[in-house]
Amino acid sequence: MPADRSEALPAARRPHRIAGGQPGLLEPGASTDPYRLRLYRVLRTDFPLAYEPGLGAWLLSRYADVALALTDPRFTGYPRDGAPRGPVPAPLGLCRGSLVCTPLPVGGTAPEPEPEPESVLPSTGSTPPDPGSASPATSAVERTAYVLARRISGRDRADLVGEFCRWLPAGAGAGAGTGAGADVAGGLDPGARPRRTGHRLPGGGADDCAGTTALREKALASFLANVLDDPDLAAAAAAGGAGAGMLLGRAWTETLRRDPPVQIILRRTRTEVRVSGGTLPAGAPVACLIGAAGRDPARFAAPDRFDPLRADQDPLITGPAGCPAALLGRREAEAGLRALLEAMPRIRWADGFRPASSGLLTRGPRSLLVRPS
């Protein structure tokens, strides 16, 4: 029996089965690692349309079906009809479906222009970046990344999740005048938990997607885990040059596909909709399994492999490119990595450590233990 079949796995790693042999999404073990458990694979292959009693929703796991639920007007937000639909993007990736993320008409003005790849990655050198050389939000990210990286560079061992990823997103608050960045630069213990802020980016509103940092923390941690796990990619990033920004931009997109911070998006049907495996009734709650769709072999070659240069990258399941949180998240990932590599050229995993993610609704590494030197 092939080893990748769930029946061939040890009993402790088999997906828990409910009625009809369907694996249970909310059973013990699923949140630890649904990929290693083959949970998503079994759902895609044998149960493309399945009902999960624990969620009270129908599950969609194939890329084609998830893409349909995210873009087709026959689906709307859940649980209320007023949730994003039509031209407003569904909550996805780092985007929460804010009105500011609505695709703009021709000639419209974006909330904040997306920077050129190289402009996101200035060399930190031996001094903090010049605050006058970029927008306030960008300068705050770069300055906070510099301070955090230098603070941990002299240690024998550090946890990048607790001492870097939890603090860097909060540093964007300095660019909006909230003082979040000052907590870091002013000497607060980076092992503590940063203050949550409700800051706004230019062009944003009270519900701006960049107002919360939890998802950006998880995305940043996954990005760093993927890059540091690939010495060649890390070396290319450290070398800089014309292609470094492009390469890291693709690594960021690949991270959001392979290891999305938001694993499940809830939608609701407005009418009957035909999908793989059957027909969804009108008014039905639908759980789009983003983590399963992003690794669908029918859409992505070698989907479990982290490959920034893959030819089949797809921005659909990574969220709208113009979302303020998406723009800010990419800045944090690229500037954060550059600061770490500049401050710690020999950074590597601590002895015996391997990064591991957890979580079912949202997901990211629990810790990233490194040896800075």
Side-chain angles (χ1 to χ4, degrees), residues 210-238:
T212 57
T213 63
L215 293 181
R216 303 206 313 274
E217 292 173 12
K218 292 182 180 295
L220 174 61
S222 293
F223 172 81
L224 293 178
N226 285 329
V227 174
L228 294 179
D229 223 26
D230 186 337
D232 292 336
L233 180 57

Side-chain angles (χ1 to χ4, degrees), residues 148 182 266:
L148 292 173
L266 294 178

Side-chain angles (χ1 to χ4, degrees), residues 1-364:
M1 184 174 293
D4 61 350
R5 293 289 300 277
S6 62
E7 291 79 2
L9 300 175
R13 286 175 46 202
R14 290 178 189 161
H16 180 87
R17 304 285 177 163
I18 56 180
Q22 173 195 324
L25 190 64
L26 300 182
E27 296 302 321
S31 64
T32 302
D33 199 337
Y35 301 103
R36 187 176 180 84
L37 194 66
R38 277 41 171 200
L39 173 62
Y40 289 160
R41 180 180 299 184
V42 172
L43 286 171
R44 280 194 311 262
T45 302
D46 301 329
F47 303 92
L49 178 61
Y51 186 77
E52 172 55 64
L55 282 179
W58 293 91
L59 306 181
L60 296 180
S61 52
R62 293 182 178 176
Y63 175 89
D65 295 329
V66 169
L68 182 73
L70 294 174
T71 59
D72 195 292
R74 292 175 294 175
F75 291 83
T76 184
Y78 180 85
R80 62 193 192 282
D81 287 332
R85 66 180 171 192
V88 182
L92 184 62
L94 299 180
C95 181
R96 298 169 60 199
S98 170
L99 291 174
V100 78
C101 305
T102 305
L104 296 167
V106 176
T109 302
E112 186 176 352
E114 183 170 3
E116 293 298 322
E118 290 306 315
S119 69
V120 182
L121 296 167
S123 174
T124 58
S126 58
T127 59
D130 178 9
S133 64
S135 70
T138 299
S139 296
V141 169
E142 294 165 355
R143 182 169 56 250
T144 305
Y146 174 88
V147 170
L148 292 173
R150 291 294 172 182
R151 184 169 289 172
I152 64 178
S153 62
R155 300 183 185 178
D156 293 331
R157 181 183 172 107
D159 179 7
L160 294 183
V161 170
E163 301 177 63
F164 193 84
C165 298
R166 286 178 182 165
W167 281 96
L168 182 53
T178 66
D183 283 348
V184 179
L188 188 63
D189 179 7
R193 190 73 188 183
R195 258 197 340 256
R196 297 299 183 201
T197 62
H199 63 271
R200 306 179 186 180
L201 288 185
D207 60 347
D208 193 319
C209 298
T212 57
T213 63
L215 293 181
R216 303 206 313 274
E217 292 173 12
K218 292 182 180 295
L220 174 61
S222 293
F223 172 81
L224 293 178
N226 285 329
V227 174
L228 294 179
D229 223 26
D230 186 337
D232 292 336
L233 180 57
M246 178 277 294
L247 182 61
L248 291 185
R250 294 184 66 88
W252 171 249
T253 300
E254 177 73 344
T255 293
L256 294 181
R257 174 202 69 83
R258 181 179 179 270
D259 304 294
V262 177
Q263 295 273 308
I264 299 177
I265 297 295
L266 294 178
R267 305 290 280 164
R268 185 162 63 82
T269 57
R270 302 175 65 192
T271 183
E272 288 188 355
V273 181
R274 179 71 182 176
V275 295
S276 300
T279 299
L280 288 165
V286 178
C288 300
L289 304 186
I290 306 300
R295 299 201 191 190
D296 188 345
R299 175 60 184 84
F300 301 100
D304 292 330
R305 186 178 68 217
F306 179 77
D307 181 9
L309 299 180
R310 64 170 56 251
D312 53 4
Q313 277 199 341
D314 187 341
L316 173 63
I317 58 176
T318 63
C323 169
L327 296 176
L328 192 54
R330 175 173 168 175
R331 286 194 186 100
E332 291 161 354
E334 297 184 353
L337 177 67
R338 179 59 60 89
L340 288 171
L341 294 177
E342 293 251 359
M344 297 165 275
R346 299 180 58 196
I347 188 172
R348 59 198 183 278
W349 297 132
D351 295 342
F353 175 78
R354 292 296 305 160
S357 296
S358 64
L360 186 65
L361 300 179
T362 61
R363 186 172 177 82

